[in-house]
Amino acid sequence: MWARKTRGETLLGDEEREELMLTRRGSPSPSPENRTPQHASLATDEKDGTGTAMSAKDSWNFALLVVLYLLQGVPVGLAFGSIPFLLKAKMSYSQIGVFSLAHYPYSMKFLWSPIVDAVYNKELGRRKSWIVPIQLLTGFMFLWLGINIDDWMGQERVNVGSLTTVFFVLIFFSATQDIAVDGWALTLLSKDNVSYASTAQTVGLNSGYFLSFTVFLAFNSPEFSNKYFRSTPQDVGLVPLGGYLKFWSILYFAITLWLVFLKKEERSQTEQNEIDIKSVYKIILRIIRLPHMKSFMIVLLTAKIGFIANSAVTALKLLEKGFSKEDLALAVLIDFPFQIIFGYYAVRWSSGPRPLKPWLWAFCAHLVCCVVAMLIVSSFPQDGVVTSTYFFLVLATTVTTSFTSTVAFVSMGAFMTVIADPVIGGTYMTLLNTLSNFGGTWPRFFVLEAVDYFTISTCSIMDGNGEGFSCTTEPGKTQCQEMGGSCQIHQDGYYYVSTVCVMIGATLLVLYIAPTIRYLESLNPKLWKLPKEES
């Protein structure tokens, strides 16, 4: 039977919630003489916990979280990475900007997170009620796409609108599953090991993302496949996009069946009583109205402005200048194992009373990487021959930039896990993650549009009417090449836009972000929980 939560005595008591957050923050627990019965209960539980080592149950649940987050990362890696790369030869930066609108569900999921948090089937389980059908739907969509997408991508003019709509739906499914998994992560692991939820998220999402972006692009590239795996060259890569999607559809079905028949979802203490959807929306508004939450929201919405041009355009610009796909695929493939290692150490650095200290260092380093990336693009060999030295510089910058991103992601995730009030399960975490995602989504469309807007390039020969024409867009560039001409860039909008982004990011860091972060992490964790409503 499907249930909706009704408002009542739901959740952890005030003292229990406070201790849970303080424990996750690393603060001392109340002294024995000041412990309430709830504290005594927690003390008993802590003795059963492992502290530094997971129990067998927690280890299996941790592995489950990694797998669920990995499945979320697969469509994200395709939409955020692979598809724009595959379409770069047929679309301008403005058209890629239109496709980037498919990313928006991840940035808007807090709008429907209360529904996911409150409506469920008691027999199936609060989180499985959403995870199971969503994974089935995603599996069917992947199967359908696997049958049709190679024909779509092979067209001379790809229908950007249809492709954007399809991936918008896929990202909507992934974002909705993320709400349910975030909520399950807070209760699936024991109190002593709940901080490992951010580790599972980092490992899982990064693995899914890189498998569908870096690893897939490498093995989809004919040049990479011919260079490293074939003695007889072929015109196609080892892994076609359609076959890749069909493979993941099978995995989605298999893991979903395992969840249905072999994994029972246990009800936690926080779910013994229930809260209705309207009340959850009211709680979200109360969270947003917290004085320190407003400052945190501004940080989340502006912190990624400085990096957005680098993340959205730099790799595409390298391909445009002549950097081969196989070399780029090799660079990102080498980068993949580093991200797993970085994620592990980032978690360790983010432990303790100042989880956002690594985030600030990573922010500064990321800005420096953006400047270095611009210099590397501008110094691309004029003869088009990529030397081993230049390749190493691209590889080093790729790995370093990914390292800063991973440290920042894990550090911010650890801080969010610390401050998230278990009052509404995954909704609190979803709100924070949504704001962080939106901070990297909303500038992307404008940055891609701005690159084309500020780029001035013309074809070296006239058109059929004896007039000069622009070849900023891909159709214009193709027309110029078919006529035997070459595009002459008089002003590259990439450098202008990327410089402006870095300057904005550095200014925000010094004047607002750094002081605000230091203030926020100095607050007692109990200040992040909602005050009691007056009756």
Side-chain angles (χ1 to χ4, degrees):
M1 176 181 291
W2 287 85
R4 285 190 317 164
K5 298 175 108 181
T6 57
R7 188 174 181 113
E9 11 339 286
T10 125
L11 314 160
L12 296 172
D14 289 339
E15 296 85 356
E16 188 177 2
R17 285 193 294 149
E18 180 177 340
E19 169 142 349
L20 176 57
M21 289 188 289
L22 287 170
T23 300
R24 287 154 64 184
R25 176 70 174 264
S27 301
S29 300
S31 60
E33 61 270 18
N34 293 329
R35 286 180 179 259
T36 63
Q38 291 92 338
H39 289 141
S41 175
L42 279 176
T44 302
D45 292 341
E46 288 173 3
K47 291 179 182 178
D48 296 333
T50 58
T52 57
M54 285 190 185
S55 64
K57 180 179 179 181
D58 269 358
S59 296
W60 282 107
N61 286 337
F62 176 84
L64 172 60
L65 286 175
V66 171
V67 171
L68 294 178
Y69 279 120
L70 184 148
L71 292 181
Q72 293 169 217
V74 171
V76 172
L78 291 169
F80 287 46
S82 293
I83 300 301
F85 267 81
L86 295 174
L87 294 178
K88 180 62 186 77
K90 300 181 179 182
M91 296 197 305
S92 65
Y93 288 108
S94 297
Q95 290 174 307
I96 294 175
V98 172
F99 180 77
S100 72
L101 296 177
H103 307 172
Y104 269 61
Y106 248 99
S107 304
M108 307 297 292
K109 59 185 178 180
F110 76 94
L111 294 177
W112 61 92
S113 65
I115 300 174
V116 177
D117 206 49
V119 178
Y120 61 96
N121 183 291
K122 290 183 177 180
E123 295 181 1
L124 187 56
R126 181 178 177 186
R127 309 304 177 183
K128 286 171 59 178
S129 295
W130 290 91
I131 295 172
V132 167
I134 284 172
Q135 288 189 172
L136 286 176
L137 289 171
T138 305
F140 281 117
M141 282 200 70
F142 269 17
L143 182 60
W144 175 73
L145 272 176
I147 296 172
N148 297 287
I149 198 165
D150 286 330
D151 292 335
W152 290 9
M153 302 287 284
Q155 296 175 358
E156 185 176 346
R157 292 187 177 232
V158 178
N159 190 326
V160 179
S162 298
L163 201 62
T164 302
T165 301
V166 170
F167 276 91
F168 184 94
V169 175
L170 277 173
I171 298 301
F172 173 79
F173 288 157
S174 181
T176 305
Q177 178 173 339
D178 189 54
I179 299 169
V181 175
D182 280 347
W184 203 5
L186 294 177
T187 58
L188 195 59
L189 299 176
S190 66
K191 290 185 291 293
D192 291 330
N193 292 316
V194 72
S195 60
Y196 284 95
S198 63
T199 310
Q201 185 183 46
T202 301
V203 174
L205 280 176
N206 274 354
S207 298
Y209 182 88
F210 282 106
L211 283 173
S212 287
F213 181 19
T214 59
V215 177
F216 166 72
L217 278 183
F219 290 97
N220 179 257
S221 168
E223 295 85 358
F224 180 87
S225 302
N226 293 335
K227 186 174 182 178
Y228 295 104
F229 294 99
R230 290 175 176 152
S231 56
T232 303
Q234 299 182 23
D235 295 332
V236 295
L238 289 172
V239 181
L241 180 56
Y244 183 79
L245 291 171
K246 292 175 185 176
F247 167 78
W248 279 107
S249 71
I250 295 173
L251 281 186
Y252 266 89
F253 293 143
I255 294 170
T256 304
L257 290 175
W258 182 86
L259 280 175
V260 171
F261 295 107
L262 298 178
K263 178 61 179 177
K264 182 179 179 181
E265 181 179 349
E266 299 176 0
R267 300 191 71 191
S268 68
Q269 182 177 349
T270 62
E271 298 170 9
Q272 297 303 315
N273 297 290
E274 318 202 330
I275 198 168
D276 62 68
I277 297 174
K278 183 178 179 181
S279 297
V280 178
Y281 279 109
K282 288 182 178 179
I283 290 175
I284 288 179
L285 291 176
R286 292 175 61 205
I287 293 173
I288 294 174
R289 289 170 182 165
L290 290 172
H292 44 281
M293 181 60 71
K294 295 176 183 176
S295 300
F296 192 33
M297 289 170 58
I298 295 174
V299 170
L300 294 177
L301 291 174
T302 60
K304 296 179 183 178
I305 293 177
F307 322 131
I308 199 66
N310 179 58
S311 64
V313 185
T314 295
L316 297 177
K317 183 61 66 173
L318 280 172
L319 290 177
E320 181 182 301
K321 281 182 168 287
F323 196 81
S324 65
K325 289 184 178 180
E326 66 268 25
D327 284 341
L328 183 62
L330 179 61
V332 294
L333 189 60
I334 293 173
D335 177 58
F336 174 64
F338 282 99
Q339 301 316 306
I340 306 301
I341 299 172
F342 294 158
Y344 169 75
Y345 283 103
V347 171
R348 299 188 63 179
W349 296 335
S350 301
S351 303
R354 291 198 60 194
L356 288 180
K357 185 177 181 180
W359 186 88
L360 284 174
W361 283 105
F363 191 107
C364 299
H366 201 157
L367 287 177
V368 173
C369 288
C370 292
V371 175
V372 172
M374 278 192 288
L375 295 176
I376 290 177
V377 172
S378 66
S379 61
F380 188 86
Q382 293 185 353
D383 58 4
V385 178
V386 177
T387 63
S388 57
T389 301
Y390 188 85
F391 175 79
F392 176 78
L393 289 174
V394 173
L395 175 61
T397 305
T398 300
V399 172
T400 306
T401 303
S402 297
F403 170 69
T404 62
S405 298
T406 300
V407 171
F409 178 81
V410 174
S411 180
M412 184 60 72
F415 180 71
M416 290 178 180
T417 304
V418 165
I419 66 175
D421 191 334
V423 150
I424 47 174
T427 301
Y428 201 116
M429 284 289 291
T430 296
L431 174 62
L432 297 178
N433 283 320
T434 297
L435 292 170
S436 180
N437 290 333
F438 192 55
T441 299
W442 73 263
R444 183 177 293 264
F445 173 81
F446 301 102
V447 162
L448 289 166
E449 288 282 342
V451 170
D452 273 351
Y453 181 81
F454 289 106
T455 296
I456 301 175
S457 64
T458 57
C459 188
S460 59
I461 60 177
M462 303 295 180
D463 62 11
N465 299 322
E467 299 178 352
F469 61 95
S470 171
C471 56
T472 299
T473 63
E474 293 302 325
K477 187 182 298 183
T478 301
Q479 180 183 352
C480 183
Q481 292 173 348
E482 290 176 349
M483 295 175 63
S486 60
C487 284
Q488 299 175 341
I489 300 178
H490 308 288
Q491 175 179 298
D492 195 331
Y494 162 72
Y495 302 109
Y496 179 84
V497 174
S498 188
T499 300
V500 170
C501 286
V502 171
M503 291 177 63
I504 293 175
T507 302
L508 286 171
L509 174 66
V510 174
L511 298 182
Y512 184 79
I513 292 176
T516 302
I517 286 296
R518 294 189 183 100
Y519 162 72
L520 293 175
E521 66 179 1
S522 69
L523 296 173
N524 191 305
K526 69 180 181 181
L527 296 177
W528 293 92
K529 71 178 182 180
L530 295 177
K532 292 182 179 180
E533 287 186 300
E534 296 181 3
S535 52

